[in-house]
Amino acid sequence: EIRKMLDAAGPQLKAMILLGINAGFGNEDVATLPTQALDLKAGWAVFPRPKTGIERKCTLWTETVAAIQEVLALRPRPKDEAHADKVFITKYGMPWSSETYGTAITHETSKLLKEIGIKRPGVNFYALRHTFETVGGESKDQVAVNAIMGHDDGSMASVYRERISDERLIAVADHVRTWLFGKTEIDKGETPETKHA
């Protein structure tokens, strides 16, 4: 179903969907994502959750990087220069944030789901975040999944933990990518180190 969504979505929604399943981003995450949070050359997103301020870091798949690059190349000029740093700008020159433009992401996702015949209760944009959590957990590294999701379990371990290696974050994202796309030609012979060199 996610692959059907990607095939049918326009450039902006496609990039948002990829961020949802690649990095566990929710509606407000993509709506408020600033360009400076992305290192597309190295393939990383470093962006605190707007809801909680908890730091997050996630590797970006080649598909996600390409989709974001397309969005930036076609991005409309924002009506307000205060929004000039936002990755996603609507065709009306406004940000996609629910605070400034209703629930545009929810509406656009709902329209897409109806078009491809998979609209039903519980299937919406935020379900991508749920799916990332579920599939990412199957990587057997819940600590890394939590770090990507921006979750703090409140345990003493999370207080004491000083860092989580990039390799662990990459392993989780790669696990989800393989679940979604299967093993592809680009994956053969690559390690996390060579893929992100």
Side-chain angles (χ1 to χ4, degrees):
E1 289 180 336
I2 296 170
R3 290 197 301 270
K4 284 183 181 179
M5 291 171 69
L6 291 170
D7 288 342
Q12 289 207 60
L13 193 55
K14 178 180 179 178
M16 292 177 183
I17 292 166
L18 282 165
L19 282 166
I21 191 61
N22 175 176
F25 277 23
N27 303 49
E28 204 62 18
D29 298 327
V30 294
T32 59
L33 181 65
T35 54
Q36 60 265 32
L38 302 174
D39 182 346
L40 297 180
K41 186 174 180 181
W44 288 96
V46 181
F47 182 46
R49 283 193 75 197
K51 182 178 176 181
T52 62
I54 295 174
E55 289 293 330
R56 292 176 302 183
K57 182 178 183 182
C58 185
T59 186
L60 299 175
W61 305 332
T62 53
E63 296 86 355
T64 310
V65 169
I68 293 169
Q69 287 171 332
E70 183 178 0
V71 165
L72 293 175
L74 301 172
R75 193 173 71 116
R77 182 181 180 86
K79 281 189 174 180
D80 186 335
E81 281 303 306
H83 305 134
D85 69 328
K86 298 292 181 284
V87 172
F88 298 102
I89 297 292
T90 71
K91 62 184 177 181
Y92 304 108
M94 300 295 290
W96 288 73
S97 173
S98 59
E99 292 180 5
T100 56
Y101 198 68
T103 53
I105 296 170
T106 299
H107 290 316
E108 289 301 309
T109 304
S110 182
K111 279 168 44 180
L112 175 69
L113 294 171
K114 286 176 184 173
E115 285 171 15
I116 61 178
I118 61 171
K119 176 67 176 162
R120 62 184 185 275
V123 178
N124 50 39
F125 187 87
Y126 208 76
L128 295 164
R129 184 166 162 81
H130 289 227
T131 304
F132 177 88
E133 170 73 39
T134 302
V135 178
E138 294 170 355
S139 70
K140 300 179 182 174
D141 191 345
Q142 191 62 44
V143 169
V145 173
N146 290 350
I148 294 169
M149 293 283 286
H151 286 160
D152 183 352
D153 63 11
S155 67
M156 286 308 296
S158 70
V159 173
Y160 290 160
R161 189 176 300 111
E162 299 293 337
R163 69 180 181 85
I164 298 171
S165 70
D166 288 352
E167 289 75 20
R168 291 174 68 180
L169 303 177
I170 290 167
V172 171
D174 283 354
H175 178 83
V176 177
R177 182 176 177 270
T178 299
W179 169 83
L180 179 60
F181 295 120
K183 203 76 170 166
T184 62
E185 285 297 317
I186 197 171
D187 299 317
K188 291 180 180 176
E190 289 187 334
T191 66
E193 292 75 18
T194 59
K195 186 180 293 186
H196 298 274

